[in-house]
Amino acid sequence: MEQLLENTRTRCGAIVQSDGSVRWRVWAPKSDRVEVVMIEGDARALHTMTREERGFFSFVRDNVRNGQRYAYCLNGGPDRPDPASCWQPDGVNQPSAVLRTDEFTWSDDGWTGVSREDLVFYELHVGAFTPEGTFDAIIPRLAALRDLGVTALELMPVGQFSGTRNWGYDGVHPYAPQHSYGGPHGLQRLVNACHMHGLAVFLDVVYNHFGPEGGYLGEYGPYFTDHYRTPWGAAVNYDGPGSDAVREFILDNVRMWIEEYRFDGLRLDAVHAIYDLGARHILQDIKDTADTAVRERSRQVHIVVESDLNDVRLLLPPQRGGYGIDAQWSDDFHHLMHVALTGERQGYYEDYGAPEQFPRLLENTFVLNGCYSAHRGRCHGGPDAGLPGDRFVVSIQNHDQVGNRAVGERLGTLITPAAQRLAASLLLLAPHLPLLFMGEEYGEEHPFQFFCSFSDPKLIEDVRSGRRREFEAFHANGGDVPDPQAEITFAASRLTWSWESDLHKSGLRRLYQDLLRTRHEWPALRDYSQRSARMLPDAQSGVILELVRGGRRPDTGETIQAFFNLTAQPQTIPFRDLATVLWTSEAERYHGGRRADMAKECLLPYECIVFGSTH
């Protein structure tokens, strides 16, 4: 690791040195000659770069202004933007710009981060979160999110992508914050403001592939490999010839986000599509690099990964053969809840829906824990190895599960208000780290659809036809799949930020706010290890789920007992020695149907009732 750190002290890009000069460094092993091109309007000045070992080239110059445009010329070819560009103010295909990050004044020196067990994620897309669609436009909303009970923003990818409308997973400049969002300066202001509001900030990063338009990495060197395939493009070369420099490129990106932008953590997209058969996996290096980056500042940083493998090797420490990752997304929670409340069983949902899966979900996190998966035609996953629930992030909505439906419908448009309150209750009472998708907290009805703004006509048509084929048999509802390239598709996905005049929406937001407060205040909800769950076998007309947090009985302030009616019929809890009712999802405060004179043993349709003693 020490050798790794030594190498990355000379990272690629246009880097401001301690004496104020700028050093350009690029890895271009395919080239015999590389020139850096200084651009002033129509004027171009070429400077030959010095060749270093292993295919690197460098050049140093004094008196370089912030925003100086530049490009690279490989073997006399056309100008190309810098692979490690920190700023693309004019788009993916245009020259890069020198960024002097030291010109920003931070005011968060006392910030130490948020502990893992206190994380409540709020996933948002910068472009669709506000009408303006910028980093700066998010700042006025931070106080409302903090008041809601959110502790961590999670930004969908912001690395420069083609055009101005994209989910972010088609980025081609991983070091450069999207120019249409406000670029690097706007991102610095947002992170600083989040810390001033007591909010951590996570960034979704894509290290498994790069986008299809505006990327030139392959012209510079062997960034990609044909030994593996991903569903979205060529796989990144982490273990083949030339992979040392590729790994440095990714690890320097991790370090930049943590050190220079002061992010509190990264969410790594689809790590099951990161292929590395080397002795030391790139994920372990990413985790170690992030930890080292904050060691001198005594600040907490967390690496969270998305994986569909249901494999805790990602989370186990290296001493136990793992990669030491802090937490991972688990889709089983979403899938089981979705099937239970909507009845949909297409595609991967066919593995979910049996009532006995709920106790397994809450006690052991993975529903598919080595058992047979009909969707895959084989056994899938493994046990959770006894890890506590705060090593797993769960949700009832996220960008994938909403946006990858044919027309991007949100959960609230598919189920009743009572069922929506039940889903939120199980999410926030479950022994895992919750993730909210923007607008979920008040029942946003606008869809979140797949959108892009490419320029290549063939690519545009390929994306359109690919989306239509994808939904011929999955999530199809008889309507046309929205055109991803159309601006109206993006516009339809913006939040309305409207709930005050709607009784259901305002009540739902109060429910989220109250439960998020109880997660902080109730000792039982701060215990991610002590939990038990079962389906009540003698429920009258359907399934009642019982969840106990903090112990076996609700006879002390350390334990709660929650009952969830997963049906549309009233039911009776088959006990008579229940403790005090602490909370119900059907309270009038939430625009629910429970009245003060109702028996506490009665469960309304889709109601959650929590029992316990005084806290």
Side-chain angles (χ1 to χ4, degrees):
M1 190 64 186
E2 288 302 319
Q3 182 61 43
L4 172 67
L5 294 177
E6 180 64 31
N7 289 340
T8 54
R9 289 192 184 102
T10 55
R11 89 174 205 210
C12 291
I15 308 302
V16 179
Q17 307 298 289
S18 58
D19 62 1
S21 64
V22 173
R23 177 185 52 76
W24 284 265
R25 188 169 185 259
V26 64
W27 184 56
K30 292 184 177 182
S31 301
D32 297 318
R33 184 178 86 258
V34 179
E35 296 160 302
V36 59
V37 185
M38 301 297 173
I39 301 171
E40 297 288 351
D42 295 331
R44 299 168 69 253
L46 278 68
H47 304 272
T48 301
M49 303 183 75
T50 301
R51 188 181 187 93
E52 301 175 350
E53 295 181 350
R54 297 191 299 142
F56 289 91
F57 295 80
S58 65
F59 175 77
V60 178
R61 183 178 182 181
D62 294 323
N63 302 317
V64 179
R65 64 178 175 83
N66 188 50
Q68 168 69 57
R69 301 300 199 269
Y70 72 95
Y72 291 127
C73 178
L74 309 177
N75 288 334
D79 289 358
R80 294 300 189 216
D82 186 350
S85 168
C86 292
W87 192 8
Q88 289 293 124
D90 307 307
V92 294
N93 296 304
Q94 300 304 310
S96 304
V98 172
L99 174 66
R100 306 189 75 101
T101 56
D102 56 341
E103 293 186 357
F104 181 77
T105 301
W106 294 87
S107 56
D108 68 344
D109 287 340
W111 175 253
T112 59
V114 175
S115 300
R116 185 179 64 219
E117 60 268 22
D118 292 323
L119 290 171
V120 175
F121 294 98
Y122 189 93
E123 185 188 26
L124 66 86
H125 182 277
V126 174
F129 187 66
T130 65
E132 299 84 356
T134 64
F135 297 126
D136 284 321
I138 297 172
I139 295 175
R141 302 287 184 181
L142 296 179
L145 294 178
R146 183 61 178 156
D147 182 62
L148 178 68
V150 168
T151 64
L153 263 63
E154 182 176 305
L155 307 181
M156 289 175 65
V158 302
Q160 187 80 33
F161 51 77
S162 181
T164 59
R165 305 183 303 275
N166 198 287
W167 276 16
Y169 300 94
D170 288 322
V172 293
H173 287 284
Y175 286 78
Q178 175 68 14
H179 75 289
S180 59
Y181 293 167
H185 304 95
L187 183 56
Q188 286 177 316
R189 290 190 292 269
L190 172 59
V191 174
N192 191 64
C194 284
H195 292 167
M196 293 298 95
H197 282 83
L199 293 166
V201 198
F202 284 64
L203 179 63
D204 195 340
V205 291
V206 184
Y207 294 149
N208 50 50
H209 79 288
F210 292 95
E213 185 171 82
Y216 301 97
L217 288 174
E219 295 184 18
Y220 282 89
Y223 280 90
F224 305 105
T225 175
D226 57 6
H227 287 285
Y228 316 107
R229 299 174 64 89
T230 82
W232 317 286
V236 179
N237 174 25
Y238 288 113
D239 60 8
S243 59
D244 288 349
V246 178
R247 294 169 75 97
E248 290 173 17
F249 180 77
I250 295 300
L251 296 177
D252 280 335
N253 187 250
V254 171
R255 186 176 295 104
M256 180 196 74
W257 293 127
I258 302 298
E259 286 186 345
E260 298 178 23
Y261 286 90
R262 304 195 181 187
F263 276 96
D264 301 281
L266 303 176
R267 180 266 192 189
L268 276 56
D269 176 66
V271 299
H272 49 269
I274 291 178
Y275 303 102
D276 181 6
L277 294 182
R280 184 181 175 88
H281 200 282
I282 186 65
L283 293 177
Q284 188 176 342
D285 279 348
I286 288 173
K287 170 60 178 168
D288 288 349
T289 298
D291 288 344
T292 302
V294 296
R295 192 164 294 156
E296 291 185 2
R297 290 182 176 270
S298 299
R299 184 162 58 88
Q300 297 182 80
V301 66
H302 311 281
I303 300 298
V304 179
V305 299
E306 177 199 18
S307 171
D308 71 354
L309 301 178
N310 284 14
D311 185 355
V312 295
R313 177 174 48 176
L314 296 163
L315 307 178
L316 295 177
Q319 298 86 338
R320 295 177 60 187
Y323 305 148
I325 300 299
D326 295 291
Q328 72 173 87
W329 275 30
S330 178
D331 282 340
D332 283 5
F333 190 99
H334 169 273
H335 296 348
L336 183 54
M337 284 297 303
H338 188 89
V339 171
L341 296 179
T342 69
E344 294 182 356
R345 297 296 295 270
Q346 309 101 312
Y348 47 72
Y349 289 140
E350 67 178 308
D351 286 327
Y352 302 88
E356 61 270 17
Q357 291 178 334
F358 275 99
R360 192 189 315 167
L361 175 77
L362 295 170
E363 291 185 344
N364 306 117
T365 302
F366 296 143
V367 170
L368 300 180
N369 58 0
C371 59
Y372 183 75
S373 163
H375 177 65
R376 295 172 175 84
R378 59 171 174 81
C379 293
H380 180 73
D384 70 352
L387 294 176
D390 64 337
R391 304 298 299 277
F392 304 94
V393 179
V394 300
S395 67
I396 55 174
Q397 299 185 64
N398 60 49
H399 75 275
D400 268 332
Q401 305 306 335
V402 176
N404 282 329
R405 296 178 63 82
V407 294
E409 311 103 310
R410 290 171 173 268
L411 181 63
T413 66
L414 303 174
I415 60 178
T416 67
Q420 197 171 356
R421 291 189 288 269
L422 177 80
S425 303
L426 188 54
L427 171 70
L428 300 181
L429 291 171
H432 305 98
L433 299 180
L435 177 139
L436 283 58
F437 183 55
M438 62 176 192
E440 169 188 328
E441 72 277 13
Y442 63 85
E444 175 63 64
E445 294 176 350
H446 273 199
F448 184 74
Q449 300 172 337
F450 181 78
F451 45 79
C452 56
S453 54
F454 295 123
S455 59
D456 177 20
K458 183 179 184 304
L459 176 59
I460 293 170
E461 185 51 40
D462 285 347
V463 173
R464 285 172 176 156
S465 59
R467 293 290 288 182
R468 288 193 294 267
R469 286 194 304 271
E470 180 179 357
F471 296 112
E472 285 176 354
F474 187 64
H475 287 328
N477 63 355
D480 293 330
V481 177
D483 180 1
Q485 185 74 12
E487 187 170 359
I488 192 173
T489 303
F490 168 67
S493 301
R494 290 196 185 102
L495 295 187
T496 62
W497 281 100
S498 176
W499 65 80
E500 294 90 346
S501 60
D502 186 294
L503 291 177
H504 164 59
K505 290 181 179 180
S506 59
L508 182 64
R509 192 177 187 279
R510 281 193 292 272
L511 183 149
Y512 273 88
Q513 188 175 43
D514 288 352
L515 279 182
L516 287 173
R517 185 180 66 253
T518 64
R519 286 180 65 89
H520 179 73
E521 295 176 350
W522 291 1
L525 297 184
R526 299 187 62 77
D527 183 345
Y528 289 96
S529 298
Q530 297 296 317
R531 77 264 194 178
S532 63
R534 62 174 176 161
M535 304 307 298
L536 299 187
D538 49 355
Q540 291 179 336
S541 56
V543 288
I544 296 178
L545 170 65
E546 178 193 29
L547 169 65
V548 177
R549 295 284 306 273
R552 298 299 304 177
R553 290 181 56 79
D555 52 6
T556 72
E558 301 298 317
T559 307
I560 64 164
Q561 185 179 27
F563 295 94
F564 302 86
N565 180 3
L566 300 175
T567 75
Q569 295 80 37
Q571 297 208 63
T572 300
I573 303 172
F575 299 118
R576 292 294 180 268
D577 58 346
L578 296 170
T580 304
V581 175
L582 298 178
W583 185 86
T584 170
S585 63
E586 286 300 293
E588 292 184 80
R589 173 175 173 78
Y590 311 129
H591 196 53
R594 177 163 288 276
R595 300 297 177 258
D597 59 347
M598 289 183 178
K600 67 179 182 179
E601 295 85 3
C602 172
L603 275 171
L604 297 176
Y606 296 118
E607 183 177 24
C608 167
I609 296 182
V610 180
F611 296 90
S613 57
T614 305
H615 291 259

